[in-house]
Amino acid sequence: MRIGELSQRSGVPIPTIKYYLRERLLGPGTATAANQADYGEDHVRRLRLIRALLEVGGVSVATARDVIDSLGRTDVQPHDLLGIAHHAVMPARRPDRGTAAWARARAEAERFAATRGWHVDPRTIAFDQLADVLDAVRSLDVTEILDNLDAYADRAQEVARFEVESVIERRDPVRMLELVVLGTVLGEALFGALRLLAHEHESALQLGEAAPLRGEFPKFPTELAT
Amino acid sequence: MRIGELSQRSGVPIPTIKYYLRERLLGPGTATAANQADYGEDHVRRLRLIRALLEVGGVSVATARDVIDSLGRTDVQPHDLLGIAHHAVMPARRPDRGTAAWARARAEAERFAATRGWHVDPRTIAFDQLADVLDAVRSLDVTEILDNLDAYADRAQEVARFEVESVIERRDPVRMLELVVLGTVLGEALFGALRLLAHEHESALQLGEAAPLRGEFPKFPTELAT
């Protein structure tokens, strides 16, 4: 199909498709004339993947390219793949990690994993992200958040458990690759959306509000204190 | 203090501080001369908050400004505050929400909340985010992820429950405001980091690997199938 039809089929505007081609997120079509190319079903599917990563997963263009490259390769090391998936769900900007406070937070993150008996490579970047949060929580003086650290970790481990089980159940290695990467990105967005919905429900519930009427909102706890 | 000292105290470079001043993320200092201003402890604390939102939370500059504005106001409606906090943890880019498939996913999201007995306003933007994920999962044909939908929702509700409890325990309304907004943003980053660490541990555990030796990585499940 021509680029016009590709745009129509995928819902992605032509200039955006051209941008993805330039950024090598999308592979080139088959050249049919000087300024024309033919695109196939793979391109439609790839465009859906790009949009999901960028818009649902909130992934940067550079990281999306890494993710997409990894899906097409058979030589990628399993651990690298997990690393790529993990990079994809981390914020693009990084805080200053050169401070003494951050180094303490990093050590604290490793100790925490050890107390839970988690077998994790000390170099894994998820430790850096945990250290970012611990450091921010302390510097902003909202350490109440850490009162729930074990409760967070219990639920995170349960989620990770069924996610990993779900990958292991696949027998097709290509499908496993897809599920590791997309499951990491989309699973995060899915859990995030459900957590926000549950916030609204729990705040109504814990304050003993009845079911909200049409057009009414469940009250939020701050109303109690004002 | 002068801007140089503010930069040193906060670890934020002077040009970045000037950018935050221009973008009204940071309030102006007290003018002391034509081209000079004096900054206080509030500015140091505010800079920490800005960095945490942008770099740990992955929040956009425009959303960070909304969040920061909301913290300084006493007239903000509680529900608006929850909305602002929720906006802050959503990806800045939005997928195409005008398609028939997306409308179906949106209706599915509302039905799912109803089957769980969640009292949530049907207009809440978290429904849009859930619909984004449902739509992406179907268009990418990774519906295995939805086999765990109830399992995700159970854990999300447990997390939301202790988070809301933790806010309700506060008696000071200013502190509650802070905890709603920062708890939403930092809680998401915290859970995300723990989930990634637990992925690594669970994949080692479920494959029956021993504790990894120094320099060795736990095996990742894809190795089984290749």
Side-chain angles (χ1 to χ4, degrees):
Chain A
M1 71 192 86
R2 301 266 287 276
I3 196 166
E5 193 187 339
L6 180 62
S7 167
Q8 223 164 4
R9 285 279 309 282
S10 63
V12 180
I14 295 179
T16 309
I17 294 179
K18 289 185 172 168
Y19 169 68
Y20 294 157
L21 287 165
R22 271 200 310 280
E23 290 289 324
R24 294 183 298 105
L25 282 170
L26 190 65
T30 315
T32 52
N35 246 325
Q36 248 175 49
D38 192 55
Y39 300 92
E41 288 305 316
D42 281 357
H43 287 89
V44 177
R45 188 174 156 78
R46 174 58 52 91
L47 279 172
R48 287 197 190 117
L49 175 60
I50 295 168
R51 302 298 271 194
L53 290 173
L54 297 183
E55 293 162 355
V56 182
V59 166
S60 73
V61 167
T63 306
R65 184 166 47 223
D66 289 345
V67 168
I68 286 169
D69 284 350
S70 73
L71 290 178
R73 288 164 55 193
T74 47
D75 63 327
V76 64
Q77 292 298 312
H79 193 78
D80 291 344
L81 185 80
L82 193 60
I84 289 163
H86 284 187
H87 267 293
V89 290
M90 298 205 178
R93 277 172 287 199
R94 302 261 180 279
D96 181 6
R97 290 171 171 170
T99 65
W102 193 84
R104 278 195 301 275
R106 184 63 164 72
E108 188 185 349
E110 283 187 50
R111 275 199 307 278
F112 178 72
T115 62
R116 292 198 61 96
W118 285 356
H119 296 151
V120 186
D121 189 284
R123 290 166 297 182
T124 190
I125 54 169
F127 275 133
D128 296 338
Q129 195 191 341
L130 181 53
D132 292 345
V133 179
L134 295 175
D135 190 28
V137 161
R138 299 209 192 288
S139 84
L140 296 169
D141 192 23
V142 278
T143 47
E144 298 97 319
I145 292 173
L146 301 185
D147 295 346
N148 292 317
L149 190 54
D150 271 305
Y152 277 112
D154 288 343
R155 272 54 173 209
Q157 187 166 359
E158 286 163 17
V159 167
R161 185 173 302 145
F162 66 67
E163 287 180 328
V164 170
E165 273 167 7
S166 167
V167 170
I168 292 179
E169 278 170 19
R170 303 301 121 206
R171 298 263 58 99
D172 173 16
V174 174
R175 197 88 186 124
M176 289 174 102
L177 282 176
E178 270 197 2
L179 206 58
V180 169
V181 173
L182 294 178
T184 300
V185 175
L186 296 178
E188 167 150 314
L190 180 58
F191 185 88
L194 293 169
R195 169 176 170 257
L196 299 185
L197 291 171
H199 272 169
E200 206 171 310
H201 171 64
E202 283 295 328
S203 75
L205 197 71
Q206 292 191 32
L207 293 166
E209 300 286 330
L213 299 174
R214 194 178 187 77
E216 278 188 25
F217 296 108
K219 298 290 190 303
F220 196 71
T222 47
E223 282 199 341
L224 280 188
T226 47
Chain B
M1 72 191 89
R2 301 266 287 274
I3 196 165
E5 192 186 339
L6 180 62
S7 167
Q8 224 165 2
R9 285 278 311 279
S10 62
V12 179
I14 293 178
T16 309
I17 293 179
K18 288 185 173 168
Y19 169 68
Y20 294 158
L21 286 165
R22 271 200 310 279
E23 290 289 325
R24 295 184 295 106
L25 283 170
L26 189 65
T30 316
T32 51
N35 247 327
Q36 248 174 47
D38 192 55
Y39 300 92
E41 288 305 316
D42 281 358
H43 286 90
V44 177
R45 188 174 156 78
R46 173 58 50 92
L47 279 172
R48 287 198 190 115
L49 174 62
I50 295 168
R51 302 299 269 194
L53 290 172
L54 297 182
E55 294 163 355
V56 182
V59 165
S60 73
V61 167
T63 306
R65 184 166 46 224
D66 290 345
V67 168
I68 286 169
D69 284 351
S70 73
L71 290 179
R73 288 165 53 194
T74 48
D75 63 326
V76 62
Q77 292 298 311
H79 194 79
D80 292 343
L81 185 79
L82 193 60
I84 290 164
H86 284 187
H87 267 292
V89 291
M90 298 206 179
R93 276 172 287 199
R94 301 263 180 277
D96 182 6
R97 290 172 170 170
T99 65
W102 192 85
R104 278 194 302 276
R106 183 64 164 74
E108 189 185 348
E110 283 187 50
R111 275 198 309 277
F112 178 72
T115 61
R116 292 197 61 97
W118 285 356
H119 296 149
V120 186
D121 190 282
R123 292 166 294 182
T124 190
I125 55 169
F127 275 134
D128 297 338
Q129 195 191 343
L130 181 53
D132 293 344
V133 179
L134 295 174
D135 191 27
V137 160
R138 297 207 192 290
S139 83
L140 296 169
D141 193 23
V142 279
T143 47
E144 299 97 320
I145 291 173
L146 300 186
D147 295 346
N148 292 317
L149 190 55
D150 271 305
Y152 277 113
D154 288 342
R155 272 54 172 210
Q157 188 167 357
E158 286 162 18
V159 167
R161 185 173 303 145
F162 67 67
E163 286 179 328
V164 170
E165 274 166 6
S166 166
V167 170
I168 291 180
E169 279 170 18
R170 303 300 122 205
R171 299 262 59 99
D172 172 18
V174 174
R175 197 87 185 124
M176 288 174 100
L177 282 176
E178 269 198 3
L179 206 58
V180 170
V181 173
L182 294 178
T184 300
V185 175
L186 296 179
E188 169 151 313
L190 181 59
F191 185 88
L194 293 168
R195 168 176 171 257
L196 300 186
L197 291 171
H199 272 169
E200 207 171 309
H201 171 63
E202 283 295 328
S203 75
L205 197 72
Q206 292 191 31
L207 293 166
E209 299 287 329
L213 300 174
R214 192 177 188 78
E216 276 188 26
F217 296 109
K219 298 289 189 304
F220 195 70
T222 46
E223 282 200 340
L224 278 189
T226 48

